[in-house]
């Protein structure tokens, strides 16, 4: 999953700001964990867009997992933030969900989130950051799952340096998931990205997905829950 935040979240409320990009990632996860991640696709196409307005901001992204013949999965998140005062606080609303034709679909249960956010930045906007604390409601889907209540804590960051030629950005999520037996577990997911900005439009880089209790382990003989999945990527900024 890609979940890269455009990190213009702190744009001045009175301004109208929009950013959009498309990313193409080659994922090495199945090469590293050939048994545990036997169903992981090697190519993911991501479209994301951020738009700020005088009330707050919209953000969404869509991931398409591809193989040589077809689209194997589609996953999307869309969120709305409404500014509260002028100190960086906002109300946060979000929906997460997707579809998959693969039997390895451990992360696609739909969810709605509601909570608060706090966003900030340096004076020149070269450093940006945000924290979100949310109630999370998972909904029942077609794979014998059940609805349950949860929470999510999210941190996002962005750093431009080397005269804006390099960008280090990403997020980290913590939320309460459930095992097959109904017992709770802490799920951790982080996806730091590094980009070298060749031009204002073209960037080359990598994303590293770091997770625990997130990925469906396809190997019944393995109890592994912690995975590190790097990619090589290209991004076009519109």
């Amino acid at each position: 999953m890609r979940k890269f935040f455009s990190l213009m979240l702190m744009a001045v409320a009175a301004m109208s700001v929009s950013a959009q990009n498309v990313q193409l990632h080659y994922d090495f996860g199945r090469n590293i964990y050939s048994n545990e991640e036997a169903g992981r696709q090697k190519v993911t196409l991501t479209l994301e867009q951020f738009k700020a307005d005088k009330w707050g901001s919209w953000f969404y992204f869509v991931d398409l997992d591809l193989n040589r013949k077809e689209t194997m999965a589609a996953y999307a998140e869309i969120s709305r933030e409404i500014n509260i005062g002028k100190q960086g606080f906002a109300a946060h609303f979000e929906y997460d969900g997707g579809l998959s034709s693969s039997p390895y679909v451990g992360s696609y249960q739909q969810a709605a989130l509601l909570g608060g956010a706090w966003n900030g930045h340096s004076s020149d906007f070269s450093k940006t950051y945000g924290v979100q604390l949310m109630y999370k409601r998972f909904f029942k889907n077609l794979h014998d799952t059940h609805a349950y209540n949860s929470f999510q804590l999210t941190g996002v960051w962005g750093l431009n340096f080397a005269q804006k030629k390099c960008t280090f950005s990403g997020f980290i999520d913590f939320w309460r998931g459930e095992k097959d037996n109904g017992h709770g577990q802490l799920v951790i997911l982080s996806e730091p990205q590094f980009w070298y900005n060749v031009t204002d439009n073209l960037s080359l880089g990598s994303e590293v997905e770091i997770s625990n209790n997130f990925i469906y382990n396809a190997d019944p003989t393995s109890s592994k829950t912690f995975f590190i999945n790097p990619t090589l990527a290209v991004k076009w900024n519109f």
Side-chain angles (χ1 to χ4, degrees):
M1 306 282 178
R2 319 289 155 218
K3 189 184 173 185
F4 171 67
F5 286 80
S6 294
L7 288 172
M8 296 172 65
L9 300 173
M10 72 303 298
V12 178
M15 297 176 62
S16 178
V17 180
S18 181
Q20 186 175 29
N21 70 73
V22 60
Q23 305 170 28
L24 185 65
H25 292 258
Y26 184 86
D27 193 305
F28 293 94
R30 199 166 72 184
N31 300 91
I32 300 172
Y33 310 103
S34 57
N35 295 326
E36 292 92 340
E37 295 193 280
R40 190 179 184 92
Q41 301 306 310
K42 294 185 176 182
V43 176
T44 298
L45 180 69
T46 297
L47 173 67
E48 62 178 11
Q49 184 174 23
F50 171 87
K51 181 174 177 58
D53 53 46
K54 63 181 180 181
W55 298 285
S57 62
W58 287 97
F59 174 79
Y60 78 86
F61 79 88
V62 179
D63 279 342
L64 300 177
D65 290 336
L66 311 174
N67 64 19
R68 294 180 180 178
K69 297 181 179 180
E70 60 184 336
T71 300
M72 294 298 295
Y75 177 83
E77 296 186 6
I78 182 170
S79 64
R80 172 67 181 175
E81 289 198 350
I82 299 176
N83 296 327
I84 301 174
K86 298 181 179 180
Q87 303 302 317
F89 292 99
H92 184 100
F93 307 88
E94 185 175 329
Y95 166 79
D96 306 342
L99 301 172
S100 176
S101 61
S102 167
Y104 311 109
V105 291
S107 300
Y108 282 23
Q109 191 172 1
Q110 298 180 88
L113 298 90
L114 169 64
W118 178 69
N119 305 304
H121 58 87
S122 62
S123 59
D124 62 356
F125 286 83
S126 63
K127 303 179 182 66
T128 59
Y129 47 87
V131 179
Q132 303 158 9
L133 180 61
M134 297 165 288
Y135 163 76
K136 189 173 188 177
R137 174 68 174 179
F138 284 96
F139 300 105
K140 183 177 181 179
N141 66 11
L142 300 178
H143 297 282
D144 300 321
T145 59
H146 65 279
Y148 65 93
N149 299 316
S150 181
F151 72 91
Q152 182 166 307
L153 175 64
T154 293
V156 296
W157 71 88
L159 173 63
N160 292 314
F161 57 99
Q163 297 181 333
K164 298 184 179 181
K165 296 300 291 184
C166 297
T167 300
F168 176 60
S169 57
F171 74 93
I172 185 167
D173 285 338
F174 303 88
W175 74 86
R176 179 189 178 274
E178 286 196 356
K179 301 178 182 180
D180 292 338
N181 60 10
H183 291 176
Q185 62 180 357
L186 179 64
V187 181
I188 302 173
L189 175 65
S190 182
E191 293 183 358
Q193 295 184 338
F194 176 82
W195 297 100
Y196 176 73
N197 303 310
V198 181
T199 68
D200 289 343
N201 299 108
L202 178 65
S203 300
L204 304 176
S206 175
E207 174 184 273
V208 181
E209 181 188 271
I210 304 167
S211 68
N212 192 52
N213 291 323
F214 174 71
I215 290 174
Y216 179 89
N217 190 331
D219 184 356
T221 67
S222 171
S223 59
K224 185 175 181 61
T225 62
F226 180 78
F227 293 87
I228 299 177
N229 294 302
T231 76
L232 285 179
V234 59
K235 178 171 67 171
W236 184 261
N237 301 292
F238 295 97

